[in-house]
Amino acid sequence: MFDSMKEGNAYRCLINGRWVSGRQPPIEVIQPADKRVLGTVPALSKEEVDEAFAAAKEAQKQWAETPVSERSALLHEASYLLEERAEEIADVLSREISKDYASSLSEVKRTADFIRFTADEGKHLAGRTVGADSFPGFHKRRFSIVTRVPLGVVLAISPFNYPVNLSASKIAPALVAGNSVILKPPTSGAISALHLAAVFSEAGLPAGVLNTVTGRGSEIGDYLVTHPMVDFISFTGSTAVGKRIARQVGMVPLLLELGGKDAAIVLEDADLDDAAKDIVSGAYSYSGQRCTAVKRVLVVESVADALVEKLKERVLALKTGMPHEKVQITPLISDQAADYVQELIDDALAKGAKLVCGNRREGNLLWPTLFDFVTTDMRLAWEEPFGPVLPVIRIQDAEEGIEIANRSEYGLQAAVFTKNIDLAFSIAERLEVGTVHINNKTERGPDHFPFLGVKSSGMGTQGIRYSIEAMSRPKVVVVNLEP
Ligand code: NAP
Ligand code: G3P
């Protein structure tokens, strides 16, 4: 056990307040952009996972008794330290997941804001009293006092594309509600997440309240999610893994944020310049590796030519290169990810889609690609590329747009571009998604908004207050006075 997070570029896991190296050979974390080794992280064994859970279980008892004002103050300190180290951590994050540096720095700063907002929100986690006499047959000298209490040990599993923000979006609400946390970060992103854990540790978090478990999800994932000491699981990642977890966990409460295929519906009266700006930003930021990315455009035929021209102009203006350069399009997280995107591109071409621009590849670097005349027999119309490719599907009217949007297995977000606000609301009401943006790209922020997916996009609701409530429960004490 050590007091430091790493030795050279060999990173350790935080367990029970100390940094441990792990007893098995470590995992190399490879930089996607140049295939160099950024560092190593432990591949923890089941015995080490058990040690982490035992520490979390024990530490949670005292942490739950800690006044929420003190829990909140500690989160504020963590937010301050994270902001102080934003540039250092952003540099690591940018190398580790091939996210352009500007977006990496934005992720870290956004996370500091997230933690600070959560610290304040957690102090308002009030309960309520309920009088019995509002129900027939009961007198008013009987009432219940309802408070909210933590669930216990929260297992937080985060995805590669936001390894700092989407780890903190689980850790902070869990901690402020009085839970302890086991964080399983993505293997590609683990080093960035360990830097986040170090910030919480140095902010003064008591030993065992936050523990990190690194290792390939395919190897230790099942053991983690079925561990007997898990009281809640907050998972963000692919639909396939989310469904696998859901099949295993029985009575353990679960929050799932999964895949998406967000549609941007563009109607005849839309401001096409604004729509094109938002759609391109929404589709190609971080090379399309966002669950809330715009992943299909459903545009009415009458304005489709004009919109596609505007989209093309903006896509061609995107800069492609390495994460440390001032670019928007960077190498994808892995060669396998790039292969999958290329498969969808090739399928669309083979079935007659019109390539407007792109379809250029060097290793795992794919140039931004735009297709027109995509039809519903093509895989790109339905599958989540998680890469810089956008299909334009032409529709006759809003009705057809709603039907195609709802036919997707996913239901994360959607966007509607029109000047007719009444029509926008009526379309929004009929779209089977968690969130509809009117005249804006699809996106999760601001982070205190509720954020949820339906159908294959998830279960439960995130968003700061919603996450705190999800990781706590009512405790009811009924007072029976003499009538
Ligand atoms: P992923 O492959 O599902 O991995 C997500 C996390 O789960 C990683 O920490 C991974 O560990 C772990 N994991 C893998 N197999 C597991 C198992 N059997 N049991 C438990 N954990 C397991 O997803 P990703 O590639 O990191 O992220 C991309 C996907 O996540 C996309 O589909 C995207 O849409 C979705 N996503 C959704 C949201 C949202 O808020 N809705 C946000 C971001 C991403 P390893 O890294 O070690 O495999
Ligand atoms: O895919 C990560 C999801 O949380 C998207 O966040 O803010 O880029 O829409 P955002």
Side-chain angles (χ1 to χ4, degrees):
M1 303 269 262
F2 300 88
D3 289 328
S4 63
M5 175 173 71
K6 64 174 182 159
E7 183 177 356
N9 70 352
Y11 288 80
R12 297 171 173 135
C13 276
L14 178 65
I15 294 180
N16 203 16
R18 305 294 296 276
W19 295 94
V20 300
S21 298
R23 301 174 195 123
Q24 304 181 125
I27 299 169
E28 286 189 338
V29 178
I30 306 299
Q31 297 179 165
D34 59 12
K35 305 294 191 280
R36 292 172 58 186
V37 176
L38 176 62
T40 63
V41 297
L44 290 191
S45 64
K46 289 180 178 178
E47 294 71 24
E48 289 162 323
V49 167
D50 291 344
E51 290 164 17
F53 272 105
K57 191 84 179 171
E58 185 57 31
Q60 194 269 334
K61 297 169 191 168
Q62 186 53 45
W63 183 244
E65 295 306 311
T66 303
V68 68
S69 59
E70 291 180 28
R71 300 201 297 255
S72 172
L74 197 146
L75 262 60
H76 271 290
E77 177 63 12
S79 172
Y80 169 75
L81 290 174
L82 184 62
E83 210 142 40
E84 258 202 333
R85 299 175 194 174
E87 291 177 2
E88 172 201 349
I89 295 175
D91 180 63
V92 170
L93 196 157
S94 182
R95 296 169 189 276
E96 186 169 22
I97 65 166
S98 180
K99 183 175 275 188
D100 65 279
Y101 179 76
S103 300
S104 300
L105 186 59
S106 168
E107 175 177 343
V108 179
K109 290 186 171 180
R110 169 184 183 180
T111 304
D113 291 338
F114 185 104
I115 296 168
R116 192 161 38 247
F117 195 107
T118 303
D120 293 336
E121 190 71 27
K123 290 189 282 190
H124 306 300
L125 191 65
R128 60 199 284 255
T129 57
V130 181
D133 60 330
S134 53
F135 196 87
F138 290 87
H139 58 75
K140 66 187 299 152
R141 301 220 355 118
R142 179 177 185 176
F143 53 90
S144 66
I145 299 171
V146 184
T147 56
R148 292 198 72 86
V149 298
L151 300 180
V153 177
V154 168
L155 173 59
I157 304 177
S158 50
F160 82 82
N161 63 341
Y162 280 85
V164 171
N165 186 264
L166 287 176
S167 295
S169 73
K170 300 163 176 47
I171 294 169
L175 293 182
V176 83
N179 302 283
S180 58
V181 177
I182 300 278
L183 172 68
K184 160 63 182 95
T187 295
S188 297
I191 293 174
S192 304
L194 290 173
H195 278 280
L196 174 72
V199 160
F200 277 107
S201 178
E202 288 166 38
L205 210 52
V209 172
L210 171 62
N211 306 275
T212 60
V213 171
T214 56
R216 297 197 188 289
S218 56
E219 293 166 10
I220 61 164
D222 291 353
Y223 188 72
L224 281 170
V225 301
T226 58
H227 199 282
M229 292 186 184
V230 172
D231 295 306
F232 181 86
I233 299 173
S234 178
F235 172 82
T236 299
S238 64
T239 291
V241 174
K243 288 183 174 179
R244 178 187 178 96
I245 293 171
R247 285 193 297 271
Q248 296 179 83
V249 300
M251 293 280 284
V252 174
L254 190 55
L255 200 161
L256 297 174
E257 293 294 350
L258 306 177
K261 189 69 179 180
D262 294 1
I265 298 174
V266 181
L267 301 181
E268 193 161 37
D269 68 340
D271 180 322
L272 296 184
D273 288 315
D274 283 351
K277 172 173 65 69
D278 288 334
I279 288 169
V280 169
S281 168
Y284 296 96
S285 297
Y286 186 35
S287 310
Q289 296 172 113
R290 292 169 50 244
C291 62
T292 49
V294 172
K295 295 182 183 135
R296 49 194 172 144
V297 176
L298 308 176
V299 55
V300 292
E301 183 65 48
S302 58
V303 297
D305 289 346
L307 178 69
V308 169
E309 267 315 300
K310 293 176 187 295
L311 292 173
K312 176 182 178 181
E313 184 182 344
R314 287 182 174 273
V315 173
L316 289 175
L318 294 172
K319 291 183 174 47
T320 301
M322 292 298 122
H324 60 277
E325 299 170 327
K326 289 188 186 306
V327 298
Q328 294 80 40
I329 307 298
T330 52
L332 297 187
I333 194 67
S334 67
D335 292 336
Q336 295 78 3
D339 290 344
Y340 177 65
V341 177
Q342 191 63 55
E343 258 184 59
L344 299 182
I345 289 173
D346 294 345
D347 175 79
L349 287 171
K351 291 176 182 171
K354 177 186 175 187
L355 178 65
V356 177
C357 59
N359 190 26
R360 176 183 165 191
R361 176 180 179 183
E362 289 174 12
N364 56 334
L365 179 59
L366 272 68
W367 270 252
T369 299
L370 176 66
F371 279 109
D372 192 0
F373 297 101
V374 170
T375 50
T376 55
D377 61 316
M378 300 173 189
R379 292 174 58 189
L380 186 59
W382 306 110
E383 296 181 36
E384 179 186 46
F386 233 57
V389 56
L390 181 65
V392 172
I393 299 171
R394 296 179 175 224
I395 56 177
Q396 291 311 306
D397 52 29
E399 280 305 312
E400 187 180 13
I402 295 167
E403 193 281 325
I404 292 178
N406 286 341
R407 207 190 312 168
S408 171
E409 70 165 301
Y410 295 107
L412 192 58
Q413 298 198 354
V416 179
F417 292 89
T418 174
K419 295 189 181 77
N420 182 336
I421 196 68
D422 293 303
L423 177 59
F425 267 86
S426 63
I427 293 171
E429 286 159 5
R430 296 171 60 195
L431 289 172
E432 296 163 5
V433 294
T435 303
V436 178
H437 289 264
I438 296 174
N439 294 322
N440 186 32
K441 66 184 177 186
T442 45
E443 61 180 341
R444 170 169 52 115
D447 289 342
H448 66 305
F449 279 12
F451 179 63
L452 68 154
V454 298
K455 301 198 289 186
S456 291
S457 290
M459 190 166 73
T461 303
Q462 283 190 118
I464 292 169
R465 174 164 199 78
Y466 303 85
S467 297
I468 297 171
E469 288 176 350
M471 298 186 205
S472 58
R473 65 169 177 81
K475 178 65 176 286
V476 185
V477 177
V478 178
V479 180
N480 298 280
L481 304 176
E482 285 304 315

